[in-house]
């Protein structure tokens, strides 16, 4: 599942991003707390107090979600699984792993880390509520964060993939059935759990509980969709993890920088089928001609231009020994159709996303 949003900061080398849907959740949570929950528990206070505590509550909810996802991420990193991004969005958060766990034991520990963190936070805030004055509005805030973290941990333990409980369930099945079959079973549970939430949401809407009904409806739709996408993602990672970049990269000899654009188009371009072409500069550097840039140059100017006049450096690259699954995830994230393959400072070839997708098509069974 793809997310786009605002980059906030890095922690432990992981980029934390705020998906735009978070603002919807922030508004709804703040409004419902300030107009309903806190006034009913602590009446006759200035409205501004309710809104200030409600804003703090909404922020702390997502801090709790961030700590939940960080727990997953740090355990994953401990097992050598790179984690580049955490996204906070309308239904919570997600840590984007660049690889699958290698064993059922690793999968179990990574999955259970999030709920354990949520239960730990719930116990900390519950302890604070015990010692803080009961008739104070801030005690209501502490109670709210306690409840939020408890239900965040409990909800995620439901054995519906890709929820944490679904991943725990998959780790238990993995030993007996293998990762693909285990993922398929856990994903099926996730799909039907999502459908159940959608049905409950529709029932609540017809009974007049519109906000809660729509919330359940959309949450169910999200889980149903996420379970299907997680199954596809696991299957593709399994297929591509059997290949390395150097198995399918296209080896290319650099072109001379003093070649004219017209000669390139007449004699070189028809023999190749990539967008990127390495060009050896006079100082020994390898820069790249991007055919898409070339198409923007009027035909009558091509006779006058040399390749060295229009080449550019490419900041992205992959390594020849990388798993194809990792390289493909990187290309999808950066929206790259082609990427240079380098070993240290040496150019080796070009990796095309279309070549990777050919492998997927030839090996993937729906």
């Amino acid at each position: 599942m793809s997310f786009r949003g605002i980059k906030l900061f890095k922690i432990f080398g992981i980029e934390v991003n705020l998906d735009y849907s978070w603002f919807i959740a922030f508004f709804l949570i703040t409004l419902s707390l300030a107009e309903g929950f806190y006034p009913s528990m602590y009446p006759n206070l200035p409205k501004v107090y309710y809104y200030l505590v409600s804003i703090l509550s909404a922020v702390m909810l997502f801090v709790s979600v961030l700590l939940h996802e960080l727990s997953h991420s740090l355990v994953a990193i401990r097992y050598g699984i790179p984690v580049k991004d955490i996204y906070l969005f309308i239904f919570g958060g997600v840590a984007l792993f660049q690889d699958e766990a290698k064993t059922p034991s690793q999968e179990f520990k990574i999955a259970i880390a999030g709920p354990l963190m949520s239960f730990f936070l719930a116990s900390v805030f519950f302890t604070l509520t015990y010692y803080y004055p009961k008739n104070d509005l801030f005690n209501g805030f502490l109670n709210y964060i306690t409840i939020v973290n408890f239900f965040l941990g409990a909800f995620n333990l439901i054995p519906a993939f890709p929820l944490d409980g679904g991943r725990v369930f998959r780790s238990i099945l993995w030993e007996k059935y293998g990762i693909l079959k285990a993922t398929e079973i856990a994903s099926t549970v996730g799909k039907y759990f999502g459908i159940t939430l959608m049905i409950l949401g529709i029932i609540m809407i017809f009974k007049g509980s519109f906000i809660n009904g729509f919330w359940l409806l959309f949450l169910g739709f999200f889980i149903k969709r996420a379970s299907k996408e997680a199954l596809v993602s696991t299957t593709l990672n399994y297929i591509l993890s059997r290949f390395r970049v150097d198995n399918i990269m296209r080896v290319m000899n650099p072109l001379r920088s003093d070649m004219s654009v017209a000669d390139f188009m007449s004699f070189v371009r028809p023999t190749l089928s990539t967008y990127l072409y390495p060009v050896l500069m006079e100082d020994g550097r390898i820069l790249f001609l991007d055919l898409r840039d070339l198409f923007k140059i009027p035909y009558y100017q091509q006779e006058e231009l040399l390749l060295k006049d229009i080449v550019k450096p490419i900041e992205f690259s992959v390594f020849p020994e990388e798993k194809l699954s990792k390289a493909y995830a990187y290309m999808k994230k950066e929206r790259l159709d082609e990427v240079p393959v380098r070993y240290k400072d040496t150019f080796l070839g070009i990796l095309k996303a279309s070549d990777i997708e050919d492998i997927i098509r030839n090996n993937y069974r729906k």
Side-chain angles (χ1 to χ4, degrees):
M1 188 161 291
S2 60
F3 300 96
R4 296 182 190 178
I6 304 166
K7 292 182 178 181
L8 297 180
F9 53 84
K10 276 192 174 183
I11 181 168
F12 301 111
I14 304 167
E15 188 81 55
V16 178
N17 304 271
L18 199 63
D19 188 76
Y20 295 116
S21 65
W22 179 86
F23 292 99
I24 300 172
F26 179 82
F27 171 76
L28 292 175
I29 290 168
T30 300
L31 186 65
S32 63
L33 291 177
E35 296 293 336
F37 179 75
Y38 286 127
S40 66
M41 299 292 292
Y42 303 91
N44 304 319
L45 293 175
K47 182 159 283 193
V48 66
Y49 289 4
Y50 298 135
Y51 272 92
L52 287 175
V53 174
S54 298
I55 290 171
L56 179 61
S57 301
V59 171
M60 278 304 300
L61 165 61
F62 286 94
V63 170
S64 299
V65 172
L66 175 58
L67 292 173
H68 179 107
E69 296 302 330
L70 268 177
S71 299
H72 292 307
S73 301
L74 293 178
V75 177
I77 290 170
R78 178 189 172 194
Y79 288 119
I81 301 171
V83 184
K84 275 201 167 185
D85 297 279
I86 291 175
Y87 280 88
L88 304 178
F89 63 106
I90 189 168
F91 292 124
V94 62
L96 301 181
F97 300 159
Q98 292 188 305
D99 206 348
E100 295 279 352
K102 298 174 181 64
T103 66
S105 175
Q106 288 183 10
E107 173 78 346
F108 178 86
K109 292 173 183 176
I110 293 169
I112 203 67
L116 289 179
M117 171 57 76
S118 295
F119 290 136
F120 169 74
L121 291 173
S123 65
V124 169
F125 283 104
F126 177 78
T127 302
L128 292 175
T129 63
Y130 183 79
Y131 290 103
Y132 199 83
K134 300 293 185 293
N135 59 347
D136 192 288
L137 179 60
F138 193 72
N139 188 276
F141 161 77
L142 295 174
N143 271 288
Y144 174 76
I145 299 302
T146 299
I147 294 168
V148 159
N149 277 285
F150 176 80
F151 279 102
L152 181 62
F155 181 79
N156 271 281
L157 282 179
I158 295 171
F161 194 75
L163 296 178
D164 299 337
R167 293 187 176 276
V168 170
F169 182 44
R170 180 174 73 161
S171 72
I172 295 169
L173 298 173
W174 185 342
E175 194 72 51
K176 182 177 180 180
Y177 297 107
I179 186 171
L180 287 184
K181 185 64 177 177
T183 304
E184 184 179 343
I185 295 170
S187 179
T188 300
V189 175
K191 179 180 74 172
Y192 286 112
F193 177 67
I195 292 172
T196 302
L197 289 182
M198 292 168 67
I199 293 171
L200 289 174
I202 293 170
I203 292 171
M204 292 183 72
I205 290 171
F206 278 106
K207 288 186 173 182
S209 183
F210 294 104
I211 294 179
N212 291 332
F214 277 113
W215 195 262
L216 279 179
L217 182 62
F218 284 119
L219 179 59
F221 174 78
F222 175 82
I223 291 176
K224 179 178 177 293
R225 179 184 172 195
S227 66
K228 179 181 178 181
E229 292 189 1
L231 174 60
V232 172
S233 176
T234 299
T235 304
L236 297 189
N237 281 334
Y238 179 80
I239 292 169
L240 295 180
S241 65
R242 295 179 290 171
F243 299 88
R244 302 192 334 171
V245 166
D246 56 6
N247 296 143
I248 70 163
M249 71 179 186
R250 300 193 180 198
V251 178
M252 299 174 67
N253 294 319
L255 303 171
R256 300 190 328 271
S257 62
D258 59 355
M259 177 185 291
S260 71
V261 170
D263 285 345
F264 168 80
M265 293 297 288
S266 299
F267 302 110
V268 178
R269 166 68 183 124
T271 66
L272 299 173
S273 58
T274 61
Y275 283 112
L276 292 180
Y277 298 86
V279 177
L280 179 62
M281 304 300 287
E282 294 174 358
D283 60 5
R285 291 180 301 150
I286 296 288
L287 299 182
F288 292 89
L289 169 67
D290 191 322
L291 196 61
R292 290 162 292 193
D293 294 336
L294 193 55
F295 288 151
K296 301 173 185 177
I297 300 174
Y299 178 79
Y300 60 85
Q301 292 183 2
Q302 294 183 5
E303 288 286 350
E304 305 168 6
L305 289 173
L306 302 179
L307 295 188
K308 65 182 178 182
D309 298 324
I310 55 174
V311 293
K312 61 185 180 182
I314 299 292
E315 59 177 307
F316 303 105
S317 64
V318 294
F319 302 110
E321 71 277 6
E322 274 186 325
K323 286 183 180 180
L324 211 51
S325 55
K326 182 178 178 182
Y328 188 55
Y330 173 70
M331 294 176 73
K332 294 285 282 184
K333 181 178 184 297
E334 301 296 341
R335 301 180 184 179
L336 302 173
D337 297 317
E338 300 178 2
V339 65
V341 181
R342 290 190 176 100
Y343 177 72
K344 295 183 179 179
D345 294 327
T346 303
F347 168 79
L348 299 177
I350 295 291
L351 180 66
K352 288 173 62 73
S354 59
D355 291 341
I356 301 174
E357 287 155 5
D358 285 340
I359 291 175
I360 293 171
R361 279 191 292 270
N362 293 332
N363 290 272
Y364 180 60
R365 293 182 303 164
K366 291 185 179 180

